[in-house]
Amino acid sequence: MHIRFFKYQGTGNDFIIIDNRELTFPKTTELIQNMCHRKFGIGADGLILLENDEEVHFKMVYYNSDGRESTMCGNGGRCVAAFAKFIGIVDKRAVFRAVDGIHSAWIIDDVVSLELLDTSLPVKKEPGYYIDTGSPHLVIFKNDLDTIDVNLEGRKWRFDNTFENQGGVNVNFCSEPRGNTIYVRTYERGVESETLSCGTGVTAAALVTSYLYGINDSISVNTPGGDLSISFKRNSDKFEKISLTGQAKFVFEGKYWLS
Ligand SMILES: N[C@H](CCC[C@H](N)C(=O)O)C(=O)O
């Protein structure tokens, strides 16, 4: 017995994507952990199931590599939209249901723009700012981004009991802006290590930067996995019309054998 899978990466954040419209995938923590394992499995930051939906093109179910279902994944949303086009259930525009609500995405070649839901303004939480962009994020401004140990520094805050109600937090280290460009490195909850980029994380960093530095249009974000851009509208009490744009690429397909 095997499971057919498709491997995608969105600016280096990589995912196993499975067409689960027949609802045959065995949704167990152990199987998902094993499939995401970098040595004993396929290897990925997360696993995404595409399933049928009564009202929109499809439903996205997201699991971190720890095997547990999690909150919204921005890069994963961009990749599953690209996959939906690849299998022919959408053309240029995808509308899909995720854990936090309905999202639209536009697919043009290997660039995908994903609409994220509106969110309230950031809240000061030492040593940075907290904001939820579909997943919970702490944004910490630092100058020595190239030399910090993201795993060591990230773990200090990922489990901090300030964020107990949110089930912990993702930790984003962000440079001061140069013009409207920032550099971000992220420690990801549920992957429990630095990832090459984090979609909801770079969005969080961009919105906190807008809030603190008064940058009102789009913000470009460099990450170790590539470049992303975030556009948004800021008003007195929230951010809206948030869009995350970047590459989302098919890498390979295969069969995972269930031992
Ligand atoms: N690890 C995150 C979810 C995935 C976020 C990231 N992969 C993204 O692109 O948004 C969490 O559990 O909060």
Side-chain angles (χ1 to χ4, degrees), residues 10-11 13-15 45-46 60 62-66 68-78 114 116 133-137 158 166-170 186-193 195 197-203 228 244:
T11 49
N13 203 190
D14 64 334
F15 307 99
D45 292 331
M60 161 188 178
Y62 176 75
Y63 300 85
N64 279 313
S65 55
D66 67 0
R68 292 183 185 83
E69 190 173 347
S70 192
T71 46
M72 182 55 187
C73 177
N75 286 330
R78 298 189 305 102
L114 174 70
L116 293 173
T133 50
S135 284
H137 288 278
R158 181 276 184 246
Q166 292 86 2
V169 74
N170 298 279
T186 303
Y187 177 93
E188 248 192 79
R189 174 185 73 166
V191 182
E192 302 313 337
S193 74
T195 55
S197 76
C198 173
T200 52
V202 297
T203 304
L228 290 140
L244 169 70

Side-chain angles (χ1 to χ4, degrees), residues 11-239:
T11 49
N13 203 190
D14 64 334
F15 307 99
I16 298 161
I17 300 186
I18 290 161
D19 179 352
N20 194 39
R21 286 178 286 177
E22 305 296 320
L23 295 175
T24 53
F25 182 82
K27 297 178 182 180
T28 69
T29 301
E30 189 187 7
L31 173 61
I32 295 165
Q33 283 175 343
N34 292 342
M35 292 180 81
C36 290
H37 197 287
R38 295 280 178 199
K39 298 292 183 188
F40 295 112
I42 302 158
D45 292 331
L47 182 140
I48 298 170
L49 302 177
L50 181 150
E51 298 182 347
N52 283 323
D53 187 275
E54 306 258 303
E55 289 153 20
V56 289
H57 290 128
F58 61 88
K59 178 183 176 187
M60 161 188 178
V61 186
Y62 176 75
Y63 300 85
N64 279 313
S65 55
D66 67 0
R68 292 183 185 83
E69 190 173 347
S70 192
T71 46
M72 182 55 187
C73 177
N75 286 330
R78 298 189 305 102
C79 288
V80 75
F83 176 64
K85 182 176 180 188
F86 178 77
I87 60 174
I89 55 177
V90 301
D91 185 16
K92 292 188 178 55
R93 182 167 180 260
V95 183
F96 63 92
R97 189 183 310 278
V99 65
D100 62 342
I102 304 295
H103 296 262
S104 293
W106 283 264
I107 308 111
I108 301 164
D109 301 330
D110 61 6
V111 175
V112 181
S113 286
L114 174 70
E115 274 182 11
L116 293 173
L117 304 193
D118 296 356
T119 189
S120 38
L121 300 179
V123 175
K124 183 83 184 94
K125 292 261 185 187
E126 284 308 326
Y129 286 81
Y130 175 84
I131 187 168
D132 185 314
T133 50
S135 284
H137 288 278
L138 178 65
V139 179
I140 303 170
F141 286 90
K142 273 199 163 282
N143 294 321
D144 55 346
L145 277 192
D146 285 328
T147 55
I148 64 168
D149 181 336
V150 167
N151 287 331
L152 184 70
E153 296 302 317
R155 280 190 193 118
K156 287 179 186 170
W157 303 101
R158 181 276 184 246
F159 297 97
D160 190 282
N161 55 25
T162 314
F163 309 104
E164 210 168 354
N165 296 342
Q166 292 86 2
V169 74
N170 298 279
V171 185
N172 304 273
F173 298 99
C174 183
S175 68
E176 310 280 316
R178 286 210 187 105
N180 73 337
T181 300
I182 53 176
Y183 177 51
V184 177
R185 294 178 66 187
T186 303
Y187 177 93
E188 248 192 79
R189 174 185 73 166
V191 182
E192 302 313 337
S193 74
E194 180 177 12
T195 55
L196 295 182
S197 76
C198 173
T200 52
V202 297
T203 304
L207 298 183
V208 171
T209 300
S210 165
Y211 177 71
L212 292 180
Y213 294 88
I215 300 170
N216 289 323
D217 39 35
S218 68
I219 288 183
S220 299
V221 185
N222 304 143
T223 74
D227 299 337
L228 290 140
S229 70
I230 293 92
S231 60
F232 53 87
K233 192 172 169 312
R234 179 163 61 118
N235 58 36
S236 56
D237 63 345
K238 68 176 178 177
F239 286 99

